[in-house]
Structure formats: structure tokens, C-alpha cells
Amino acid sequence: MKKRKKLLTAVLLTLAALPLSAQKQWTLDDCISYAMQNNITLQKSRLQQQSAAEDVKAQKGALLPTLNASTNQSVGYRPWQDSGVATVTNGQVNSKVNKDYYNGSYNLNASWTVWNGGRNRNNVRLSELNAQQSELSVAEQANSIEERICQLFVQCLYLNEAIGVSRSTLETSKKNEERGREMVEVGLLAQADLAQLTSQRANDEYNIVEAESQLANYKLQLRQLLQLTADADFDIAVPATTNEQALSDIPALQTVYEQALATRPEIENARLGIESSKISIDIAKAGWLPTLNLTGGVSTSTNSLSNNNWGNQMKTNVNMSGGLSLNIPIFDGKQTKTSVAKARIQQQQAMLDLQDQQQQLYQTIEGYWLDATTNQQKFRAACTSVASSQASFDLLQEQFNVGLKNIVELMNGKDNLLQAQQNQLQAKYLTLLNQQMLRFYSGSSIQ
């Protein structure tokens, strides 16, 4: 039994000492889902949305009557009170004559605004629109974060594949360098030419380090956007991408724009801004209309100078009142006129905001569409260029191995191949990114 415990302990210690080789692989969906739940800026926007929802409740509550109760308790002292003179308090003759006394009053008052030019109901409508705009602002913020995550993620995918190409190129450089050494030993290649092959191999190693540094930087930006801590387990999952995906059909520019007009939250937000401005004009015009209020109240009081007990005083001193008050504005120093004019200016600004949002949306979609179309054409050309450069380099390498081509021709062929491969990768991932953005703006989710 003791041997088994010792063996188990040794195994656990050994496993604890081993480095964690497997990190959590974050897919694009994982990154977006995590950001939607944990991004601080987005959480703040949601809190503002909740606050706007509470404002709606407050404005609806303003339509209801108000009721409040109050009481006042006081003591008094009359040092020169004539002992033979009675006093009157609240319409009651007080037979007691004391220098010190105690008063109590109790009130219950109600008020209800029957009509104020529709201001209260318009305030409810305005607060409801503000709540909808706040919700749309959350959606705008979420879309912005999702778009940025996609851009960073695709950049990471591009660099990851570019590193693979660079490593393949490095292996070729190593083989060429080794072949160069063999040729130097048999006198078929000069030492200076071998030095060029060594330099080429070292340059390829540098390119890998540089690309890995760029990849680490983009992963850092992605981690920071997700607001993950430095000790969080993070690495991206690399999905399989095909040339067919990059060569898939690109949706028409006008079709994407029309779908975006119907679905994008920033456009709907701007439209609601125009509706809000119209209601603001109605609220401002209410300053020219009369206001009717209904009031009512019940009050009673007690006094220590009275011969009646507390209960009788509370009953006999009850006073009920009710009334209507009408306020008709005649001249307010042009305050209402100014408010209406400013509300109309706000309406014009809201209309311009909608036009501005529509133009910005079109320019953004047009940019994505142009980039997708251009890079797809570049990708087609790059595929042909890679195939041609690869065939040319393979032939150059065979000729170099038998001494028919010099070192300069070999290195030029290799550089041409590497450039063609890099151009192909860049065009491929830029096409994929812009295709995704067009689908995203047309209302589909990023995949």
C-alpha cells in the first residue's frame, strides 16, 4: 500500500513538473462570444441601456397622481400670557391658559395634472425612443468590436500561413547551402558564391523571426481587445481555408448597401433621432397651451390647550379641500418660441445625421467591395504566378545542382517564388476578410 502511494505521488510530481504544451485554441466564434459577454465598454453601454429603460418607467409614473402625507409637531412658550385670557387655535376656543403648549398638524395632499399640452405623454414617447436608441447603441458597439476582432483574427491567420511558407523557403535555402558546400569541395562553386547562399539562409531565418514577431503583436492586440489578462491561456485555432473560398462570388455592392440600410443599427438609430426631434418640437409647443391641475387634501390638528382629548380634536378639526387650477400662458419672454426654434434646428441636425450615416455606410461597404473585388483578381493572378514561379525555380535548382546555372540566377528564382507566394497569401486573406465584412454588413453573422 505504501509503495502504491509513493508511486502515485511520484507520478503526480512528474506531471506537475511537465510544461503545459496544449493551450486553449480560440476560434473566431469563441473570441466574439467572449467579447460580447466580457468587454467592459460593451458592459457600460448595457448599463446605459438599463438606465434608459428606468427613465421610461419614471416618465410613465409622471402620468399618475401624486399623494403625500406630512405632519408637523411643535411646542410653544408664552412667558407673558395673561392667565385670564383664552386663546383661539385652528378655529377652536382653548379654555386652558398655559404658558407652554403643544401643537400637532396632519395633512394628506393629492395632485394630478389633468392636461399640460400633452407634454407628459410626449415625454413618455421620447423616453421610449431614447431607450430604443440606447439599445441600438449597444448593438453598434458590439458590431464595432466584432468587426475589429475579425480583422485581427484574419491577420493572425495570414501571418500564420506566411510563416509556414517562410519555413518552407528556409528548408530550401538550407538544402541549397548544403549543396553549395559540396560543390565548393569539388571545385564547382566559388567560396564567395557559398557565402551568398549562407547569407540567403540567414535572411530567411530573419524573415521567420520577423513574421513571428508580427504574429505575436496581432495576438497581443486580440488579447487586449478581449481584455484577457497576461496569464490567461490564449492561442488562436487555425481553420482550414481553401482557394475556392477566396474565389467564391462577391455580392453586388448595391444589394449589400440596401440590406445594410434595413439592418444596421446606426441607420435605425439615426432614423429614431428624427422621430425624437419631432416629439421634442411637440413638447416645446406645449409651452403655448394651458395647464389644468386637480388638487385635493385632508388635514387636521391638535392642541394641548384644548379641553378636548386627542381623538376628538383629530375628528372635529378635520378639513377637506379640493379644486382645479388652470394656468393659461400669455407671455413668457419668448421662452417657448425659442424652445420651438431650437427643437426645429435639432430636427434638421437629426436629418443631416441620417444622411451622414448613410453616406458613411455606403463608403464603408464600397471600400470593402472594392477591396474584395480587387484582391480576388490579384489572387487569381497570383495563383498563376506561383505555379509559374515554382516550375521555374524547380528547373533552376536542378540546373544549379549540375552546374548549369549560377548562384545569382538561383537566388533570383527563389526570391521571385517567395514574392509570388506572399502575394498569393496576402490577396487570399484580404479577399476572405472583405467577403466576410460584406456578408456582415448585409446582416449575416461573421463565420
Side-chain angles (χ1 to χ4, degrees):
M1 189 68 180
K2 291 183 179 180
K3 289 183 179 180
R4 289 182 179 179
K5 290 184 176 180
K6 289 182 179 180
L7 180 60
L8 179 60
T9 303
V11 171
L12 293 175
L13 291 175
T14 302
L15 292 175
L18 291 175
L20 294 175
S21 58
Q23 280 187 310
K24 178 184 177 181
Q25 301 290 310
W26 289 65
T27 65
L28 180 58
D29 286 339
D30 291 336
C31 294
I32 292 174
S33 298
Y34 184 87
M36 294 302 102
Q37 295 294 327
N38 299 280
N39 184 270
I40 294 177
T41 303
L42 199 55
Q43 292 184 57
K44 289 182 178 180
S45 297
R46 290 195 180 103
L47 290 177
Q48 293 176 356
Q49 177 187 353
Q50 294 176 17
S51 178
E54 294 300 323
D55 290 338
V56 175
K57 297 177 182 179
Q59 292 299 334
K60 287 182 177 180
L63 298 175
L64 303 175
T66 60
L67 179 65
N68 62 81
S70 63
T71 181
N72 181 45
Q73 309 295 319
S74 63
V75 293
Y77 179 68
R78 298 175 179 178
W80 296 284
Q81 173 67 39
D82 189 346
S83 59
V85 179
T87 60
V88 178
T89 302
N90 295 326
Q92 300 292 327
V93 177
N94 300 319
S95 56
K96 292 183 180 179
V97 180
N98 297 327
K99 292 184 177 182
D100 55 335
Y101 61 93
Y102 174 84
N103 283 324
S105 63
Y106 309 89
N107 303 281
L108 187 64
N109 297 303
S111 177
W112 181 40
T113 300
V114 180
W115 172 253
N116 64 349
R119 185 182 290 110
N120 281 348
R121 295 192 178 277
N122 282 327
N123 281 333
V124 172
R125 293 173 56 199
L126 185 61
S127 64
E128 290 174 342
L129 288 178
N130 289 338
Q132 294 179 37
Q133 287 185 284
S134 181
E135 183 178 357
L136 290 170
S137 296
V138 174
E140 286 183 52
Q141 187 71 39
N143 283 346
S144 178
I145 293 173
E146 190 169 350
E147 189 172 341
R148 182 57 180 160
I149 289 175
C150 183
Q151 291 170 348
L152 291 173
F153 198 91
V154 171
Q155 190 67 41
C156 290
L157 296 182
Y158 160 68
L159 287 170
N160 183 76
E161 192 165 345
I163 290 172
V165 171
S166 297
R167 285 174 178 165
S168 177
T169 303
L170 175 60
E171 291 301 318
T172 302
S173 296
K174 290 180 178 179
K175 292 178 181 179
N176 289 338
E177 183 184 14
E178 184 62 27
R179 176 57 181 163
R181 288 196 182 95
E182 295 174 357
M183 296 175 70
V184 168
E185 291 176 358
V186 298
L188 296 178
L189 189 68
Q191 191 69 37
D193 292 336
L194 176 60
Q196 292 186 44
L197 290 175
T198 302
S199 175
Q200 182 67 44
R201 186 262 307 160
N203 185 66
D204 290 341
E205 291 176 343
Y206 175 83
N207 289 338
I208 292 176
V209 174
E210 179 68 18
E212 288 177 340
S213 175
Q214 293 179 11
L215 177 59
N217 180 57
Y218 278 109
K219 286 183 179 180
L220 175 61
Q221 293 182 48
L222 186 56
R223 178 199 293 269
Q224 291 174 344
L225 184 60
L226 297 177
Q227 295 172 337
L228 294 171
T229 57
D231 57 346
D233 189 14
F234 179 79
D235 194 12
I236 65 169
V238 180
T241 57
T242 63
N243 293 348
E244 287 73 18
Q245 289 175 318
L247 294 174
S248 61
D249 293 336
I250 297 174
L253 171 60
Q254 191 61 31
T255 301
V256 176
Y257 178 62
E258 291 174 357
Q259 291 173 339
L261 286 178
T263 58
R264 294 293 292 185
E266 58 267 31
I267 300 300
E268 183 63 23
N269 203 340
R271 291 194 182 109
L272 291 181
I274 296 178
E275 293 186 32
S276 296
S277 65
K278 292 178 181 178
I279 297 176
S280 296
I281 293 175
D282 293 336
I283 293 175
K285 287 181 177 180
W288 285 321
L289 302 176
T291 302
L292 181 63
N293 291 317
L294 176 64
T295 59
V298 179
S299 63
T300 186
S301 62
T302 60
N303 189 280
S304 61
L305 299 178
S306 175
N307 287 329
N308 293 332
N309 59 35
W310 187 88
N312 287 334
Q313 290 187 64
M314 288 288 291
K315 180 179 179 180
T316 57
N317 292 342
V318 168
N319 181 35
M320 299 182 181
S321 63
L324 285 171
S325 63
L326 179 64
N327 181 24
I328 303 175
I330 298 177
F331 181 72
D332 63 353
K334 297 185 177 181
Q335 295 298 314
T336 301
K337 183 178 180 181
T338 302
S339 298
V340 172
K342 293 179 68 175
R344 293 189 186 279
I345 293 173
Q346 181 184 2
Q347 183 183 35
Q348 295 176 1
Q349 290 177 338
M351 292 178 178
L352 291 175
D353 287 341
L354 176 59
Q355 294 180 18
D356 185 47
Q357 288 290 347
Q358 290 173 337
Q359 290 180 0
Q360 289 183 23
L361 179 63
Y362 185 83
Q363 291 172 1
T364 300
I365 294 174
E366 186 179 32
Y368 283 135
W369 183 86
L370 183 60
D371 287 343
T373 304
T374 302
N375 283 286
Q376 190 178 72
Q377 294 172 353
K378 289 181 179 180
F379 180 66
R380 287 194 180 98
C383 289
T384 303
S385 178
V386 168
S388 176
S389 298
Q390 184 68 60
S392 176
F393 178 71
D394 291 342
L395 180 60
L396 282 171
Q397 197 167 32
E398 291 177 3
Q399 293 174 333
F400 172 77
N401 290 337
V402 297
L404 297 179
K405 292 294 183 181
N406 59 38
I407 187 67
V408 175
E409 292 174 312
L410 179 67
M411 293 178 64
N412 286 339
K414 179 175 171 294
D415 290 340
N416 292 336
L417 175 59
L418 178 60
Q419 185 62 51
Q421 290 173 330
Q422 295 292 351
N423 290 340
Q424 182 189 38
L425 284 179
Q426 187 176 37
K428 173 184 176 181
Y429 280 100
L430 283 175
T431 302
L432 291 173
L433 172 62
N434 289 287
Q435 285 176 333
Q436 286 292 333
M437 289 298 99
L438 289 174
R439 296 189 184 98
F440 181 56
Y441 272 78
S442 65
S444 301
S445 59
I446 293 178
Q447 299 176 355

